[in-house]
Structures are given as C-alpha cells and as structure tokens.
Coordinates of all heavy atoms in Angstrom, one line a residue:
K1 N -25.2 36.4 3.9 CA -25.4 36.3 5.4 C -24.2 36.8 6.0 O -23.1 36.5 5.6 CB -25.9 35.0 5.8 CG -24.8 33.8 5.7 CD -24.1 33.6 7.1 CE -23.1 32.5 7.0 NZ -22.2 32.5 8.4
F2 N -24.2 37.3 7.2 CA -23.1 37.7 8.1 C -23.5 37.4 9.5 O -24.4 38.1 10.0 CB -22.9 39.2 7.8 CG -21.7 39.7 8.7 CD1 -20.4 39.4 8.2 CD2 -21.9 40.5 9.8 CE1 -19.3 39.8 8.9 CE2 -20.8 41.0 10.5 CZ -19.5 40.7 10.1
Y3 N -22.8 36.5 10.1 CA -23.0 36.1 11.4 C -22.0 36.6 12.3 O -20.8 36.1 12.2 CB -23.2 34.6 11.6 CG -23.4 34.0 13.0 CD1 -24.0 34.8 14.0 CD2 -23.1 32.7 13.3 CE1 -24.1 34.2 15.3 CE2 -23.2 32.2 14.6 CZ -23.7 33.0 15.6 OH -23.8 32.5 16.9
L4 N -22.1 37.5 13.3 CA -21.1 38.0 14.2 C -21.5 37.7 15.6 O -22.7 37.9 16.0 CB -21.0 39.5 14.1 CG -20.0 40.2 14.9 CD1 -19.3 41.5 14.1 CD2 -20.6 40.8 16.2
T5 N -20.5 37.4 16.4 CA -20.7 37.1 18.0 C -19.7 37.9 18.6 O -18.6 38.2 18.1 CB -20.6 35.6 18.3 OG1 -19.2 35.2 18.3 CG2 -21.3 34.7 17.4
T6 N -20.1 38.2 19.8 CA -19.1 38.8 20.8 C -18.9 37.7 21.9 O -19.6 36.7 22.0 CB -19.6 40.0 21.5 OG1 -20.7 39.7 22.3 CG2 -20.0 41.1 20.4
A7 N -17.8 38.0 22.7 CA -17.6 37.1 23.9 C -18.9 37.2 24.8 O -19.5 38.4 24.8 CB -16.4 37.6 24.6
I8 N -19.3 36.1 25.4 CA -20.3 36.2 26.3 C -19.7 36.7 27.7 O -18.6 36.4 28.0 CB -21.1 34.9 26.5 CG1 -20.1 33.7 26.9 CG2 -22.0 34.6 25.4 CD1 -20.9 32.4 27.1
D9 N -20.4 37.5 28.4 CA -19.9 38.2 29.5 C -20.1 37.4 30.7 O -21.1 36.8 31.0 CB -20.6 39.6 29.7 CG -20.4 40.5 28.5 OD1 -19.3 40.6 28.0 OD2 -21.4 41.2 28.2
Y10 N -19.0 37.4 31.7 CA -19.1 37.0 33.0 C -20.2 38.0 33.7 O -19.9 39.2 33.6 CB -17.9 37.0 33.7 CG -16.9 35.9 33.4 CD1 -15.6 36.1 33.1 CD2 -17.3 34.6 33.4 CE1 -14.7 35.1 32.8 CE2 -16.4 33.6 33.1 CZ -15.1 33.9 32.8 OH -14.2 32.8 32.4
V11 N -21.0 37.5 34.5 CA -22.0 38.3 35.1 C -21.8 38.4 36.7 O -22.7 38.6 37.4 CB -23.4 37.9 34.8 CG1 -23.8 38.1 33.3 CG2 -23.8 36.4 35.2
N12 N -20.6 38.3 37.0 CA -20.2 38.3 38.5 C -20.1 39.8 38.9 O -19.9 40.0 40.2 CB -19.1 37.6 38.8 CG -17.8 38.1 38.1 OD1 -17.8 38.3 36.9 ND2 -16.7 38.3 38.8
A13 N -20.1 40.7 37.9 CA -20.2 42.1 38.3 C -20.8 42.9 37.3 O -21.0 42.5 36.1 CB -18.6 42.7 38.5
K14 N -21.1 44.2 37.5 CA -21.8 45.0 36.5 C -20.9 45.3 35.3 O -19.7 45.4 35.4 CB -22.2 46.4 37.2 CG -23.3 46.2 38.2 CD -23.8 47.5 38.8 CE -24.8 47.3 39.9 NZ -25.2 48.5 40.5
P15 N -21.6 45.6 34.2 CA -20.8 45.9 33.0 C -20.0 47.2 33.1 O -20.5 48.2 33.7 CB -21.8 45.9 31.9 CG -23.1 46.1 32.5 CD -23.0 45.5 33.9
H16 N -18.8 47.3 32.5 CA -18.0 48.5 32.5 C -17.7 49.0 31.1 O -18.2 48.3 30.1 CB -16.7 48.3 33.4 CG -15.9 47.1 33.0 ND1 -15.2 47.2 31.8 CD2 -15.7 46.0 33.6 CE1 -14.5 46.0 31.8 NE2 -14.8 45.3 32.9
L17 N -16.8 49.9 31.0 CA -16.5 50.5 29.7 C -15.9 49.4 28.7 O -16.0 49.5 27.6 CB -15.6 51.7 29.9 CG -15.6 52.6 28.6 CD1 -16.9 53.2 28.3 CD2 -14.6 53.7 28.9
G18 N -15.1 48.5 29.3 CA -14.6 47.4 28.5 C -15.6 46.5 27.8 O -15.6 46.3 26.6
H19 N -16.7 46.2 28.5 CA -17.7 45.6 27.9 C -18.5 46.4 26.8 O -18.8 45.9 25.8 CB -18.8 45.1 29.0 CG -18.4 44.2 30.1 ND1 -18.1 44.8 31.3 CD2 -18.2 42.9 30.1 CE1 -17.6 43.7 32.1 NE2 -17.9 42.6 31.4
A20 N -18.7 47.6 27.2 CA -19.4 48.6 26.3 C -18.6 48.7 24.9 O -19.1 48.6 23.9 CB -19.5 50.0 26.9
Y21 N -17.2 48.8 25.0 CA -16.4 48.9 23.8 C -16.6 47.7 22.9 O -16.8 47.9 21.6 CB -15.0 49.2 24.3 CG -14.0 49.1 23.1 CD1 -14.2 50.1 22.1 CD2 -12.9 48.2 23.0 CE1 -13.3 50.1 21.0 CE2 -12.1 48.3 21.9 CZ -12.3 49.3 20.9 OH -11.4 49.3 19.8
E22 N -16.5 46.6 23.4 CA -16.6 45.4 22.5 C -18.0 45.4 21.9 O -18.1 45.1 20.8 CB -16.5 44.1 23.4 CG -16.6 42.8 22.6 CD -16.3 41.6 23.3 OE1 -15.1 41.4 23.7 OE2 -17.2 40.9 23.8
K23 N -19.1 45.6 22.6 CA -20.4 45.5 22.1 C -20.7 46.6 21.1 O -21.4 46.4 20.1 CB -21.5 45.5 23.2 CG -21.2 44.4 24.2 CD -21.1 43.0 23.6 CE -21.0 41.9 24.7 NZ -19.7 41.8 25.3
V24 N -20.2 47.9 21.4 CA -20.5 49.0 20.5 C -19.7 48.7 19.2 O -20.2 49.0 18.0 CB -20.0 50.3 21.1 CG1 -19.9 51.4 20.1 CG2 -21.0 50.7 22.2
A25 N -18.5 48.3 19.3 CA -17.7 48.0 18.1 C -18.4 46.9 17.2 O -18.6 47.0 15.9 CB -16.3 47.6 18.4
A26 N -18.9 45.8 17.8 CA -19.6 44.8 17.1 C -20.9 45.3 16.5 O -21.2 45.0 15.4 CB -19.9 43.6 18.2
D27 N -21.6 46.1 17.2 CA -22.8 46.8 16.7 C -22.6 47.6 15.5 O -23.4 47.5 14.5 CB -23.5 47.6 17.8 CG -24.8 48.2 17.4 OD1 -25.9 47.5 17.2 OD2 -24.8 49.4 17.2
C28 N -21.6 48.3 15.5 CA -21.0 49.2 14.4 C -20.9 48.4 13.1 O -21.3 48.7 12.0 CB -19.9 50.0 14.8 SG -19.3 51.1 13.4
I29 N -20.1 47.2 13.4 CA -19.7 46.3 12.2 C -21.1 45.8 11.6 O -21.2 45.7 10.4 CB -18.8 45.2 12.7 CG1 -17.4 45.9 13.1 CG2 -18.7 44.2 11.7 CD1 -16.6 44.9 13.8
V30 N -22.0 45.3 12.5 CA -23.2 44.7 12.0 C -24.1 45.7 11.2 O -24.7 45.4 10.2 CB -23.9 44.1 13.2 CG1 -25.4 43.5 12.7 CG2 -23.1 42.9 13.6
R31 N -24.2 46.9 11.9 CA -25.0 48.0 11.2 C -24.4 48.3 9.8 O -25.2 48.5 8.8 CB -25.1 49.2 12.0 CG -25.9 49.1 13.3 CD -25.8 50.4 14.1 NE -26.5 50.4 15.4 CZ -27.8 50.7 15.5 NH1 -28.4 51.1 14.6 NH2 -28.3 50.6 16.7
A32 N -23.1 48.3 9.7 CA -22.5 48.6 8.4 C -22.8 47.5 7.4 O -23.1 47.7 6.2 CB -20.9 48.7 8.6
R33 N -22.8 46.3 7.8 CA -23.0 45.1 6.9 C -24.4 45.2 6.5 O -24.7 44.8 5.4 CB -22.7 43.8 7.7 CG -21.2 43.6 7.9 CD -20.4 43.6 6.6 NE -19.0 43.3 6.8 CZ -18.4 42.3 6.3 NH1 -19.0 41.4 5.5 NH2 -17.1 42.1 6.5
R34 N -25.4 45.5 7.4 CA -26.7 45.5 7.0 C -27.0 46.7 6.0 O -27.7 46.6 5.1 CB -27.6 45.8 8.2 CG -27.7 44.5 9.1 CD -28.8 44.7 10.1 NE -28.9 43.4 10.9 CZ -28.9 43.2 12.2 NH1 -28.7 44.3 12.9 NH2 -29.1 42.0 12.7
A35 N -26.2 47.8 6.2 CA -26.4 49.0 5.3 C -25.9 48.5 3.8 O -26.2 49.0 2.9 CB -25.6 50.1 5.7
M36 N -24.9 47.5 3.9 CA -24.4 47.0 2.6 C -25.3 46.1 2.0 O -25.0 45.4 1.0 CB -23.1 46.4 2.8 CG -21.9 47.4 3.3 SD -20.4 46.5 3.6 CE -19.6 47.8 4.7
G37 N -26.4 45.7 2.6 CA -27.4 44.7 2.1 C -27.3 43.4 2.5 O -28.0 42.5 2.0
E38 N -26.5 43.1 3.5 CA -26.2 41.8 4.0 C -27.3 41.4 5.1 O -27.7 42.3 5.8 CB -24.9 41.6 4.5 CG -23.8 41.7 3.5 CD -22.4 41.5 4.0 OE1 -22.2 41.0 5.1 OE2 -21.4 41.9 3.3
D39 N -27.7 40.1 5.1 CA -28.6 39.6 6.1 C -27.7 39.2 7.3 O -27.0 38.2 7.3 CB -29.3 38.3 5.5 CG -30.3 37.7 6.6 OD1 -30.6 38.4 7.5 OD2 -30.8 36.7 6.2
A40 N -27.8 40.0 8.4 CA -26.8 39.8 9.5 C -27.5 39.4 10.7 O -28.7 39.6 11.0 CB -26.1 41.2 9.7
L41 N -26.8 38.5 11.5 CA -27.2 38.1 12.8 C -26.1 38.5 13.9 O -25.0 38.1 13.6 CB -27.4 36.6 12.8 CG -27.8 35.9 14.1 CD1 -29.3 36.3 14.5 CD2 -27.7 34.4 14.0
F42 N -26.6 39.1 14.9 CA -25.7 39.7 15.9 C -26.1 39.0 17.2 O -27.2 39.3 17.8 CB -25.7 41.2 15.9 CG -25.0 41.9 16.9 CD1 -24.0 41.3 17.6 CD2 -25.4 43.2 17.2 CE1 -23.2 42.0 18.5 CE2 -24.8 43.9 18.2 CZ -23.6 43.3 18.8
V43 N -25.1 38.2 17.9 CA -25.4 37.5 19.1 C -24.4 37.9 20.2 O -23.2 38.0 19.9 CB -25.3 36.0 18.9 CG1 -25.6 35.3 20.2 CG2 -26.4 35.6 17.9
I44 N -25.1 38.2 21.3 CA -24.3 38.5 22.5 C -24.7 37.5 23.6 O -25.6 36.8 23.4 CB -24.2 40.0 23.0 CG1 -25.6 40.4 23.4 CG2 -23.8 40.9 21.9 CD1 -25.7 41.8 24.1
G45 N -24.3 37.7 24.8 CA -24.8 36.8 25.9 C -24.1 36.8 27.1 O -23.3 37.7 27.5
A46 N -24.4 35.8 27.9 CA -23.9 35.8 29.4 C -23.3 34.4 29.7 O -23.9 33.4 29.4 CB -25.0 36.2 30.4

C-alpha cells in the first residue's frame, strides 16, 4: 500500500500555479507507484 497526502488548501482565494504544482507532483508520484503495482491512496482537500 502507498498512502500520499498533500497539504489541504486554504479556500479564501482561487487556486494558483503554486497549488497546481503541489498537486501535479503528488499525482505524478501516485501514478508512478500504481504503475509499479502498489495499491495507492491519494488524498487532497480543503
């Protein structure tokens, strides 16, 4: 199993490139782990 989280975002303003970078990087890591055969859980939030 592989459980990855990102920071939950403050929602007092719209998401910007900084939010995007963190989530895209995390998504890339999780996709890679799944491709390696791991059972992955990827959680983000607010």
Side-chain angles (χ1 to χ4, degrees):
K1 72 91 178 172
F2 182 75
Y3 175 30
L4 178 148
T5 75
T6 66
I8 53 176
D9 298 319
Y10 285 134
V11 291
N12 60 308
K14 294 182 179 181
H16 55 67
L17 199 60
H19 297 101
Y21 174 55
E22 178 175 286
K23 303 309 184 286
V24 165
D27 179 74
C28 181
I29 292 168
V30 171
R31 287 177 185 270
R33 291 300 183 117
R34 287 190 174 125
M36 297 174 199
E38 297 183 13
D39 184 13
L41 179 68
F42 175 21
V43 175
I44 67 174

